Amino acid sequence: MALIVQKYGGSSVADVECMRRVARRVKKTRDEGNQVVVVVSAMGDTTDDLIDLAKKINPEPNEREMDALMATGEQVSSTVLTLALHQLGVDAISMTGPQAGIYTDAIHAKAKILDLKPKRLLAQLKKNRVVVVAGFQGLNPSEDIATLGRGGSDTTAVALASSIKADRCQILKDVEGVYTANPRVVPDAQKLDEIVYDEMLELASMGAEVLQSRAVEFAKNHGVVLEVLSSFVEKPGTLVREEVKHMEDMVVRGVASDKNQAKVTIRGLEDKPGVAALLFTELARKSINVDMIVQNVSDKGETDITFTVPRGDLSKTLRVAEAMQSELGAKGIRSDETIAKVSLVGVGMRSHSGVAAKMFEALAKQKINIAMIATSEIKISVVIAQADADKAVQVLHKAFDLGKKK
Ligand code: ASP
Ligand code: MG
């Protein structure tokens, strides 16, 4: 008998029929002799709808109330799924995040889990019940409900799996696993059998939308092996773990693109110590997540700095930069929203050379212009025009032979 945590995402529990299907899958897992804890997301686009609703009433909603409102989406899912399980004769009980013993820090809307006290949950499991936990939420130090950031139900599942020492943590989705590229863009993209945490983290931060980055980080830090699989068909998915077979031979594991970025250039900055610190400290203080940064060699004591931010933060970023323009001694500020970041990811890059050259050559052959380049040990990213993004992903997928099953 294994203890299994199964997390079902929003599209897997979108309507009554989906709920029934999930209930049957949970029942089956249990009938096979396992103990099951289920974590659910809000039904379909419920979270977005709740945000829209609040903003219609009040464009700047109070964050405590907002968290309390958003958490109801997952509470609806957990109770409805529990009722569906009862209907199938399965002994099940729903729990909110706080009832399941999930304690967070004080940051509303992106709270971090600080502690888990799953006593009640374990007691219910002992009674041989399936426990259905509302994802995405916990109790903060003021005993208010706090939510864990968009996509946060993944983190709920991983954290619970770690705290109850589950044998498996399954993330069930409307895709069959993690792919070498987005199958909607690259028709011969291959499902990966395995991927290491670091690669998954790079892909997740690239907007690959498979798993919440925080969930992967948590899994890595606590050694929770994740299995990403389809909630619609029963097939093995992708295992996410510390080490995989042929780790070093597979130089590039995947190609991802992120069209949700914007580029900002500050021109004619004084080239002296402290200028970059001034700017980026202020951006960090405003919680703007700066990604790639490039500074030019200085010319006549002046330099340019270009960096990327999530598109949603662009206007905030421009406000900060404009307010600091004279303090920075800058001549001008430019921005571009029509960009995309395309990345190659693979731990094998650590021990192989020539990956960048091959990447740039493949892009050059298609006359795709590179605006920025950044590298890490296991990733090479370029910023290009958004209109070229899909083509770039296709070309790179082909150049690195990712369409062939290894
Ligand atoms: N319902 C939340 C969201 O849409 C959390 C989740 O789905 O994991 O972001
Ligand atoms: Mg959702």
Side-chain angles (χ1 to χ4, degrees), residues 2 22 31 100 106 135 139 151 171 201 293 334 357 360:
V22 168
D31 289 349
L139 200 64
I171 310 283
L201 275 172
I293 304 176
R334 256 192 249 147
F360 303 155

Side-chain angles (χ1 to χ4, degrees), residues 21-32:
R21 180 179 330 112
V22 168
R24 288 195 294 270
R25 179 96 176 230
V26 172
K27 179 177 189 301
K28 182 159 181 259
T29 311
R30 197 186 129 99
D31 289 349
E32 286 162 359

Side-chain angles (χ1 to χ4, degrees), residues 347-368:
V347 285
M349 281 186 209
R350 286 188 187 131
S351 51
H352 285 77
S353 55
V355 182
K358 190 166 169 182
M359 177 185 196
F360 303 155
E361 197 182 275
L363 295 173
K365 266 197 198 141
Q366 299 296 320
K367 306 217 164 6
I368 295 172

Side-chain angles (χ1 to χ4, degrees), residues 179-182 186 199 202-209 252-259 340-345 359 379-382 384 389 392-393 396-397 402:
Y179 283 76
T180 49
N182 182 343
V186 182
E199 291 168 330
E202 293 290 4
L203 292 171
S205 70
M206 283 296 303
E209 279 179 23
V252 173
R253 182 100 43 197
V255 191
S257 74
D258 184 352
K259 297 180 182 168
K341 184 171 80 167
V342 172
S343 304
L344 292 181
V345 175
M359 177 185 196
K379 182 176 81 165
I380 306 174
S381 305
V382 294
I384 59 174
V393 171
L396 294 171
H397 197 266
L402 295 173

Side-chain angles (χ1 to χ4, degrees), residues 10 41-42 44 47 74 150:
S41 284
T47 310
E74 271 66 12
R150 297 308 304 267

